[in-house]
């Protein structure tokens, strides 16, 4: 009998499909956006640079600062930096325009602001595309930033008559110095409401990004006759003009505590009207809590724009006995966060990717956070999650230097900036506590914040603990935001100096009322809640 043999079965070699080839969606490149700017506002854009706007005219002055896009490291237009003397001339010219504008009848002011909103809406997609290239916002969030500005100003235009009852414009223009992260929904929105209230407005372009978007928005406003000044320059060079000039009626600042502290000292010494929104470590507390599906659903949303916003939640303070349950909800949620190139598609007809965030504002910021994370781990922090940038979300060969995937650390050491300061990037930290006193101490680590949230099953526990959290807004199991329209906004401690804003308070902050009126806000000699 012949011996039997077992046939050899050879499996086909395992192959991994290469990632799809991506490229920038046709029509969305920086060159495309720039050509559209030149066509839309040739008075404000010149060849490869933007102009400054003062005395009602566009000026090709200042020294253009080289800039690159965080999206791919390519060159884009930078701010034309003025010197202090030219900025002083611009402020003086703004006062001349203010004296005329403050006497302009309210119906005419409303009509001009309404026409500006119509023009912004007409150029909505171009403004959003500029936000993508200049500050790295994903397309969905960039459009939302433009829409919030337009819709918010339209609400004020409809409500302004009652808000201005028995009130008058300030004696001088409002000077706006704002961070780069919300050029439209914070800065342009504030400028148009200030003008609606009867003030000329001055704005300094953020040096880190947003100059082309702001230039286009201001060109549209200037065409409708609004008294707008837009200048670029370093804060140190322009501070004397934009903060300390006697012509300035109010200083409105949005930014970090270091810069804000210097401005706060200056305006306090001068007795000048001011609104200074500064950063704070916004925290989310977990205490006697069990609704983990609701928490898991909100975690990815907290990473919108890479947590580069003043109302981001980078710190979780968790009851130690709930830590295992917290991780079961948190880790799968954070792993679902979508990060990538905001304009990359596989086919020209594909929609732009729906991302939670793209790059950080620049490569330097991404590098700084990487270093802070590494240093915190070296000093004892426990890395719970370290994400990776997916190759499939980027065109081949494109720089990723400004990108950082989500990172989560347990118990950052007190020596680390991640322990006590807002990272302004996709880095979460978790602190474990055993008592309510520890919970409150950890939630109040930065001596004041803008928002906070406490997740607890017991309404009575929330009602007892929430007033002890030093944040202007405290949510019960849900995130709080800056808000729109009639929602008030402010901060506690070092997170805010000067008048609170939002709703009627925004108009009240930039107008004069009855003699002896005390505005709600944080001031050197008093704190008054609305």
């Amino acid at each position: 009998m012949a011996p039997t043999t077992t046939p050899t079965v050879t499996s086909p070699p395992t192959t991994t499909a290469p990632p799809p080839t991506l490229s920038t969606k046709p029509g969305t490149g920086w060159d495309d956006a720039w050509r559209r700017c030149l066509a839309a506002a040739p008075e404000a854009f010149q060849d490869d640079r933007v102009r400054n706007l003062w005395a009602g005219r566009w000026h090709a002055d200042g020294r253009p600062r080289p800039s690159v896009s965080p999206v791919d490291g390519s060159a884009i237009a930078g701010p034309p930096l003025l010197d202090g003397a030219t900025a002083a001339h611009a402020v003086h010219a703004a006062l001349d325009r203010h004296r005329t504008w403050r006497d302009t009848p309210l119906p005419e002011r409303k009509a001009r602001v309404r026409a500006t909103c119509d023009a912004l809406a007409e150029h909505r997609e171009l403004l959003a595309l500029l936000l993508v290239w200049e500050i790295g916002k994903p397309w969905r969030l960039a459009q939302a930033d433009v829409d919030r500005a337009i819709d918010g100003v339209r609400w004020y235009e409809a409500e302004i008559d009652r808000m201005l009852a028995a009130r008058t414009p300030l004696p001088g223009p409002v000077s706006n110095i704002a961070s780069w992260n919300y050029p439209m929904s914070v800065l342009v929105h504030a400028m148009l409401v200030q003008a609606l209230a009867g003030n000329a407005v001055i704005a300094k372009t953020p040096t880190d990004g947003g100059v082309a978007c702001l230039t286009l928005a201001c060109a549209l406003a200037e065409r409708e006759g609004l008294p707008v000044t837009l200048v670029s320059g370093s804060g140190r060079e322009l501070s004397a003009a934009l903060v300390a000039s006697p012509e300035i009626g109010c200083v409105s600042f949005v930014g970090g505590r270091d810069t804000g502290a210097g401005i706060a000292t200056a305006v306090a010494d001068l007795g000048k009207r001011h609104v200074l929104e500064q950063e704070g470590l916004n925290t989310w507390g977990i205490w006697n809590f069990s609704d983990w599906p609701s928490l898991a659903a909100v975690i990815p949303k907290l990473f919108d724009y890479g947590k580069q916003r003043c109302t981001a939640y980078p710190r979780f303070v968790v009851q130690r006995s709930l830590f295992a349950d917290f991780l079961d909800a948190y880790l799968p949620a954070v792993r679902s966060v979508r990060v990538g190139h905001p304009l990359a598609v596989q086919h020209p007809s594909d929609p732009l990717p729906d991302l939670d965030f793209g790059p950080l504002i620049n490569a330097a910021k991404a590098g700084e956070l990487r270093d802070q994370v590494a240093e915190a781990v070296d000093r004892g922090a426990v890395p719970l999650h370290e994400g990776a940038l997916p190759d499939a979300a980027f065109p081949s060969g494109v720089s990723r230097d400004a990108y950082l995937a989500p990172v989560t650390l347990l118990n950052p050491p007190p020596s680390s900036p991640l322990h006590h300061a807002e990272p302004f990037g996709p880095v979460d930290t978790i602190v474990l506590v055993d008592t309510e006193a520890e919970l409150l101490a950890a939630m109040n680590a930065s001596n004041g914040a803008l928002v906070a949230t406490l997740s607890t099953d017991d309404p009575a526990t929330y009602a007892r603990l929430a007033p002890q959290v030093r944040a202007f807004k405290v949510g019960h199991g849900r995130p709080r935001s800056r808000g729109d329209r009639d929602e008030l906004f402010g901060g506690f401690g070092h997170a805010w100096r000067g008048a609170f804003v939002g709703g009627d308070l925004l108009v009240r902050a930039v107008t004069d009322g009855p003699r002896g009126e005390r505005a709600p806000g944080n001031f050197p000699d008093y704190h008054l809640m609305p």
Side-chain angles (χ1 to χ4, degrees):
M1 180 175 182
T4 60
T5 59
T6 302
T8 301
V9 179
T10 303
S11 300
T14 302
T15 59
T16 301
T21 301
L22 303 183
S23 59
T24 300
K25 184 177 177 68
T28 67
W30 171 255
D31 289 343
D32 300 302
W34 188 253
R35 282 192 294 269
R36 292 171 64 183
C37 289
L38 290 170
E43 70 274 25
F45 296 85
Q46 174 187 356
D47 299 329
D48 60 350
R49 62 168 291 170
V50 299
R51 293 169 169 166
N52 289 296
L53 171 62
W54 55 278
R57 293 186 295 111
W58 291 95
H59 301 261
D61 52 10
R63 175 178 50 83
R65 174 185 173 181
S67 295
V68 299
S69 170
V71 171
D72 60 6
S74 61
I76 60 174
L81 307 181
L82 294 179
D83 57 32
T86 305
H89 288 307
V91 169
H92 187 74
L95 177 61
D96 292 339
R97 301 187 80 191
H98 177 84
R99 288 169 172 162
T100 300
W101 180 253
R102 72 193 308 271
D103 294 328
T104 301
L106 180 57
E108 182 178 343
R109 299 203 306 261
K110 291 170 62 177
R112 292 180 184 275
V113 169
R114 190 183 314 122
T116 300
C117 287
D118 291 343
L120 293 173
E122 180 183 349
H123 292 86
R124 170 183 181 261
E125 290 197 355
L126 177 54
L127 291 163
L129 184 58
L130 292 170
L131 292 179
V132 177
W133 279 106
E134 294 192 286
I135 63 173
K137 282 203 169 183
W139 182 240
R140 170 177 57 86
L141 300 179
Q143 292 179 98
D145 193 15
V146 178
D147 292 342
R148 284 182 60 196
I150 297 169
D151 295 344
V153 175
R154 290 194 193 280
W155 180 84
Y156 275 95
E157 188 266 325
E159 300 286 332
I160 195 65
D161 292 81
R162 66 169 181 81
M163 293 182 180
L164 287 180
R167 306 195 69 80
T168 58
L170 297 175
V174 181
S175 177
N176 295 271
I177 304 170
S179 58
W180 43 264
N181 53 343
Y182 285 91
M184 292 297 298
S185 62
V186 173
L187 181 51
V188 170
H189 176 274
M191 293 168 65
L192 295 184
V193 175
Q194 293 159 8
L196 186 63
N199 302 290
V201 295
I202 304 168
K204 185 182 92 65
T205 61
T207 53
D208 285 327
V211 61
C213 179
L214 286 170
T215 299
L216 178 57
C218 288
L220 300 175
E222 180 65 31
R223 285 181 183 176
E224 302 301 335
L226 298 189
V228 175
T229 297
L230 182 68
V231 295
S232 295
S234 72
R236 179 176 301 179
E237 183 73 21
L238 302 193
S239 180
L242 300 185
V243 175
S245 290
E247 295 95 335
I248 298 296
C250 175
V251 176
S252 178
F253 169 83
V254 180
R257 290 192 179 188
D258 291 343
T259 303
I263 293 177
T265 299
V267 295
D269 291 345
L270 296 167
K272 194 181 293 290
R273 184 79 60 91
H274 58 283
V275 177
L276 309 181
E277 177 188 330
Q278 301 171 105
E279 64 191 22
L281 184 61
N282 306 316
T283 59
W284 192 303
I286 310 288
W287 189 261
N288 291 342
F289 176 71
S290 62
D291 187 8
W292 302 110
S294 69
L295 179 66
V298 80
I299 293 297
K301 299 175 185 177
L302 300 182
F303 279 88
D304 271 359
Y305 195 33
K307 304 206 172 191
Q308 296 178 104
R309 60 190 195 279
C310 63
T311 54
Y313 285 84
R315 168 67 51 82
F316 290 89
V317 181
V318 181
Q319 187 175 5
R320 191 182 305 273
S321 60
L322 300 179
F323 184 46
D325 293 330
F326 172 81
L327 284 184
D328 285 344
Y330 175 88
L331 288 176
V334 75
R335 291 176 183 134
S336 73
V337 171
R338 300 156 300 178
V339 56
H341 188 294
L343 298 172
V345 296
Q346 185 176 3
H347 304 291
S349 60
D350 289 346
L352 290 171
D354 185 13
L355 304 172
D356 295 302
F357 67 97
L360 303 192
I361 184 58
N362 51 46
K365 179 60 181 180
E368 174 189 283
L369 281 179
R370 292 187 193 98
D371 291 344
Q372 289 181 0
V373 167
E375 181 181 56
V377 171
D378 285 346
R379 296 181 179 180
V382 179
L384 298 177
H385 173 72
E386 294 183 86
L389 298 175
D391 291 338
F394 294 89
S396 177
V398 166
S399 171
R400 305 184 196 180
D401 290 348
Y403 293 81
L404 180 68
V407 176
T408 307
L409 301 180
L410 174 65
N411 289 336
S415 59
S416 169
L418 298 175
H419 178 81
H420 55 78
E422 183 180 11
F424 233 63
V427 178
D428 276 349
T429 57
I430 300 172
V431 173
L432 303 182
V433 295
D434 296 296
T435 67
E436 289 184 356
E438 288 179 294
L439 174 80
L440 292 170
M443 293 189 71
N444 294 328
S446 67
N447 188 23
L450 304 175
V451 297
T453 291
L454 179 61
S455 288
T456 181
D457 293 343
D458 181 20
T461 298
Y462 174 82
R464 177 167 47 83
L465 295 180
Q468 301 179 66
V469 178
R470 288 182 55 78
F472 188 81
K473 297 180 181 180
V474 181
H476 187 183
R478 62 185 181 91
R480 299 304 307 271
S481 68
R482 201 177 198 278
D484 291 310
R485 303 180 182 184
D486 58 351
E487 188 172 354
L488 307 182
F489 191 56
F492 279 1
H494 291 306
W496 197 279
R497 310 286 184 94
F500 295 147
V501 296
D504 290 25
L505 292 188
L506 176 54
V507 172
R508 186 171 173 179
V510 295
T511 53
D512 284 331
R515 181 183 295 274
E517 177 183 75
R518 295 209 311 170
N522 273 338
F523 294 93
D525 54 345
Y526 74 89
H527 172 83
L528 179 63
M529 289 296 292

